[in-house]
Amino acid sequence: MIDDDRRDANRILSAALDDPKTVSKTELDRAVGLLDSDAKRVRLGAAWGFGLVAEAVPEKAIPYISRIAAEVDSSDPHAAAARALAYIAQSNPEAVERELRTLEEPAARRCRKAMWGQFADRAVVETPDDRDGPTGASMGRADGDRWGWVGGG
């Protein structure tokens, strides 16, 4: 099984490095599964693959945010799923936050904490959004806790 995981991760990561636009939906579906592999390099390669795809063609990575978020475990902030979310957020933080807003609050909080650690409850980033008006809106759910997005990008 680990050999299959390694082979698949190498193929997906190689495609993402060569031309992220060519990574297929089937390969991204497989990459989600690889985020939970027993092999650390496989997990990290799958996470990095999502980052490469998100940078080049964000519309391909965004649909996977909720599936990746479901794999986030707050007890391990360095887990591959948290890394994959953080990589996608580097390219498109607004899309990640929009997707997190659709989750139940405990799941969204777990994802933010896994991605941003101690900073997650201390800052809120204002981002303009067509539906929020010209002044923007705090990222995070207004009816939730004090959490907001913090990070690079």
Side-chain angles (χ1 to χ4, degrees):
M1 181 76 156
I2 288 179
D3 288 338
D4 291 341
D5 287 356
R6 282 193 182 116
R7 184 178 54 250
D8 290 348
N10 286 338
R11 180 179 39 77
I12 294 166
L13 187 55
S14 179
L17 284 166
D18 187 45
D19 184 1
K21 295 174 187 165
T22 66
V23 178
S24 71
K25 180 182 180 317
T26 302
E27 289 171 320
L28 291 174
D29 287 337
R30 177 68 174 130
V32 171
L34 293 174
L35 292 172
D36 195 32
S37 172
D38 291 335
K40 182 178 181 178
R41 288 184 183 176
V42 168
R43 294 190 306 269
L44 294 176
W48 192 25
F50 274 106
L52 293 167
V53 170
E55 181 67 31
V57 275
E59 64 275 8
K60 277 190 166 188
I62 291 167
Y64 291 90
I65 293 171
S66 61
R67 286 181 54 198
I68 295 168
E71 300 295 323
V72 171
D73 177 1
S74 60
S75 68
D76 184 5
H78 301 293
R83 287 177 189 258
L85 280 180
Y87 290 151
I88 295 169
Q90 290 290 320
S91 305
N92 201 332
E94 295 88 0
V96 171
E97 185 56 37
R98 273 192 302 274
E99 288 296 319
L100 292 181
R101 288 180 190 179
T102 68
L103 302 177
E104 294 292 324
E105 189 59 29
R109 183 181 306 124
R110 184 177 63 245
C111 290
R112 290 184 190 105
K113 184 163 183 152
M115 286 190 303
W116 315 122
Q118 66 184 6
F119 300 110
D121 63 352
R122 298 183 184 194
V124 175
V125 175
E126 299 288 328
T127 59
D129 189 341
D130 292 340
R131 65 176 188 213
D132 295 324
T135 60
S138 298
M139 294 182 79
R141 290 173 44 169
D143 62 335
D145 56 20
R146 304 174 301 158
W147 294 65
W149 176 84
V150 176

